[in-house]
Amino acid sequence: MAVNLSKNGPALTAAFKEVVDEKSSTNWALYTYEGNSNDIRLAEKGDGGLEELVEELNSGKVMYAFCRVEDPNSGLPKYVLINWTGEGVNDSRKGLCANHVSSMGNFLRGAHVTINARAEEDVEPEVIMQKVGKASGANYSFHKETSSRFQDSGPQGPVGSVYQKTNAMSEIRKTNKDNFWAQAEKDEEKRRLEDRRRADEERQQLEKERKDREAKEAVVRETRDKEKSSQIDHQKKSQQKQEADSKEMEKHRWEEQEEKEAVQRKSVKRGVSLEKANEAASLISQRAMNPREMFKQRERGIAPAEPDVPAAAPVSPQPEEAPAVSSSVQETAFEEPAQVEETSSYEATPEESSDKGVCARALYDYQAADDTEISFDPEDLIAGIEMIDEGWWRGYSPDGHFGMFPANYVELI
């Protein structure tokens, strides 16, 4: 940014005019910035010359000095512009203020000598006056110039001396300056070390706090995860238990229902079986010749005699007469001769009669009265059937026995 000379313009211009005015006692003016801004202000002015001006320069600031001096050769007034950049100014500020030198040179116009100074060695009064003398372009004073041809030069003094007067104040300032800057460097190094140590401690403290916070968060997170996992496991177990109980209850209900249906089916089958048995017993009792006897005679190869009386029409048996018929059938079965039992004890294998191929499925259960009959349960398969009579057949039971059975207890397949 450009330097601002308008904010304090009247004061700056008035001080400059006092310095360039030969009648004014003010022979120097010092300008600087207001804080870290680009606004120029008047820092100080005085009439003590270069020695007084140098004392006012600050090593921590950027300053501009304009001073009126007397040319050592001609005795005429000369003007010196000093662009002062102290060693304590940071680099960024130096770079910014370097762009303002030309603007300040235009404002403080008329300078015969311009000096860019950074340390006190650069602004020693003797050094500045030497530069002013060299810049004058003449090594004589026209105010004192006289013709040497009309004057006696007199005795000549010694020539060629290299003696220089020692400036005690300059030496003291130089020594103090060296000590000051050495101490300043030590203090600055100490400050940097302290700042570095403090920054390390703060970083370690922050790292420790971060680790502690992360550890606490990890513990809380782990506890929360365990509680959530425990709740999920509990819910799963409860759900599994409910499902198991539900399945068990369903199984019990299904088993009870199956038992009830089985009992009902069994009772129905038993009632139908009893009815069929009574009907078969009634039909058998009405025959003139016992079918079992006829079967035995066929086994012996004797043709059965035809009955003289035709068979009566089948009559449906009465429930109260069924036990009497059953007892008569049992008595007849016990009165069979012994040789018939020997003859009927023959058991044929399924292989011997497999060519007959007539099969039937049992509709009801039937229990054999003796060895000439076979027993079976509902849904049993009876193979190798021989239809020896209208009401009685013979065949192979599921266990391989061959014998007679009621024809109305089965259905052909």
Side-chain angles (χ1 to χ4, degrees):
M1 296 179 64
V3 65
N4 184 9
L5 297 171
S6 60
K7 182 177 181 180
N8 301 309
L12 302 179
T13 304
F16 172 72
K17 290 181 178 180
E18 289 180 7
V19 174
V20 298
D21 187 3
E22 298 180 4
K23 297 180 181 181
S24 174
S25 61
T26 302
N27 56 11
W28 64 269
L30 185 62
Y31 306 92
T32 186
Y33 294 91
E34 290 185 350
N36 291 325
S37 66
N38 295 326
D39 301 333
I40 299 296
R41 66 177 179 85
L42 178 64
E44 193 64 48
K45 63 182 179 178
D47 55 1
L50 287 174
E51 289 78 5
E52 185 179 14
L53 172 63
V54 170
E55 294 295 331
E56 297 297 330
L57 295 177
N58 191 332
S59 61
K61 294 182 178 181
V62 178
M63 310 181 82
Y64 305 95
F66 192 75
C67 181
R68 184 179 72 238
V69 297
E70 184 178 347
D71 189 349
N73 297 322
S74 63
L76 296 175
K78 300 291 183 179
Y79 300 100
V80 179
L81 173 62
I82 301 175
N83 298 319
W84 170 262
T85 303
E87 295 181 350
V89 180
N90 57 52
D91 294 338
S92 60
R93 185 64 177 173
K94 289 179 181 178
L96 178 64
C97 294
N99 299 323
H100 301 164
V101 173
S102 60
S103 299
M104 293 301 300
N106 294 330
F107 176 71
L108 303 172
R109 59 190 177 277
H112 297 88
V113 176
T114 301
I115 299 174
N116 296 319
R118 292 179 178 272
E120 292 184 1
E121 293 88 347
D122 301 332
V123 292
E124 292 289 340
E126 293 79 4
V127 176
I128 295 175
M129 292 306 297
Q130 289 177 5
K131 292 182 178 181
V132 171
K134 291 179 181 180
S136 64
N139 293 324
Y140 63 92
S141 175
F142 64 90
H143 296 286
K144 300 178 181 180
E145 183 180 0
T146 57
S147 176
S148 60
R149 69 182 64 181
F150 301 107
Q151 294 182 358
D152 186 8
S153 60
Q156 300 293 325
V159 180
S161 175
V162 294
Y163 172 77
Q164 291 184 355
K165 183 180 179 180
T166 302
N167 190 337
M169 293 301 296
S170 176
E171 293 294 331
I172 292 173
R173 285 198 299 271
K174 185 176 181 181
T175 303
N176 292 337
K177 180 190 68 175
D178 294 340
N179 295 334
F180 170 78
W181 286 114
Q183 184 65 30
E185 290 178 358
K186 291 181 181 179
D187 294 342
E188 182 66 18
E189 183 66 20
K190 184 177 180 181
R191 184 187 63 78
R192 286 197 296 267
L193 293 175
E194 184 68 20
D195 292 342
R196 189 179 298 110
R197 183 187 62 79
R198 190 180 300 107
D200 292 339
E201 290 179 355
E202 293 178 355
R203 184 170 58 255
Q204 293 176 359
Q205 182 66 21
L206 292 175
E207 184 69 17
K208 182 179 179 181
E209 292 177 357
R210 183 183 64 79
K211 290 182 178 180
D212 294 342
R213 183 172 62 256
E214 289 180 353
K216 292 180 181 180
E217 291 177 354
V219 171
V220 173
R221 184 168 55 254
E222 184 177 1
T223 304
R224 185 170 59 252
D225 293 341
K226 288 183 178 179
E227 292 177 354
K228 187 175 181 180
S229 177
S230 177
Q231 292 177 359
I232 292 174
D233 293 340
H234 181 70
Q235 291 177 357
K236 286 184 177 179
K237 290 181 180 179
S238 301
Q239 185 176 2
Q240 291 176 357
K241 184 178 180 181
Q242 291 177 0
E243 291 179 355
D245 294 342
S246 177
K247 289 181 179 179
E248 189 68 22
M249 293 177 63
E250 186 68 21
K251 182 178 179 181
H252 287 326
R253 286 197 299 268
W254 182 80
E255 290 178 352
E256 291 177 357
Q257 185 176 0
E258 286 292 326
E259 290 178 358
K260 291 180 180 180
E261 292 179 355
V263 171
Q264 292 177 359
R265 288 195 300 269
K266 188 174 181 181
S267 61
V268 171
K269 289 182 179 181
R270 184 175 297 276
V272 175
S273 178
L274 290 176
E275 183 179 355
K276 293 293 183 178
N278 293 333
E279 183 179 356
S282 175
L283 292 174
I284 292 172
S285 64
Q286 294 177 4
R287 291 182 179 270
M289 184 178 180
N290 192 342
R292 189 177 292 107
E293 184 65 25
M294 180 179 62
F295 169 73
K296 291 178 180 179
Q297 291 179 5
R298 289 186 179 181
E299 289 291 333
R300 297 171 186 170
I302 303 173
E306 292 294 334
D308 297 333
V309 182
V315 180
S316 299
Q318 299 297 326
E320 60 275 10
E321 296 177 356
V325 175
S326 299
S327 61
S328 62
V329 173
Q330 294 292 335
E331 291 175 0
T332 307
F334 287 123
E335 292 175 359
E336 295 294 330
Q339 61 271 18
V340 176
E341 294 179 0
E342 294 176 357
T343 306
S344 61
S345 61
Y346 171 76
E347 295 180 359
T349 61
E351 290 79 0
E352 296 176 356
S353 58
S354 59
D355 56 338
K356 298 179 182 180
V358 180
C359 299
R361 181 183 292 107
L363 298 175
Y364 320 104
D365 59 53
Y366 180 76
Q367 300 297 324
D370 52 25
D371 293 338
T372 61
E373 297 179 358
I374 60 174
S375 300
F376 50 80
D377 293 328
E379 302 298 329
D380 286 348
L381 189 64
I382 302 172
I385 296 176
E386 295 181 3
M387 301 179 184
I388 59 174
D389 188 66
E390 182 181 355
W392 286 85
W393 297 345
R394 64 178 180 176
Y396 292 97
S397 64
D399 58 3
H401 288 82
F402 187 74
M404 293 172 38
F405 60 89
N408 55 356
Y409 275 51
V410 299
E411 63 176 357
L412 293 175
I413 58 176

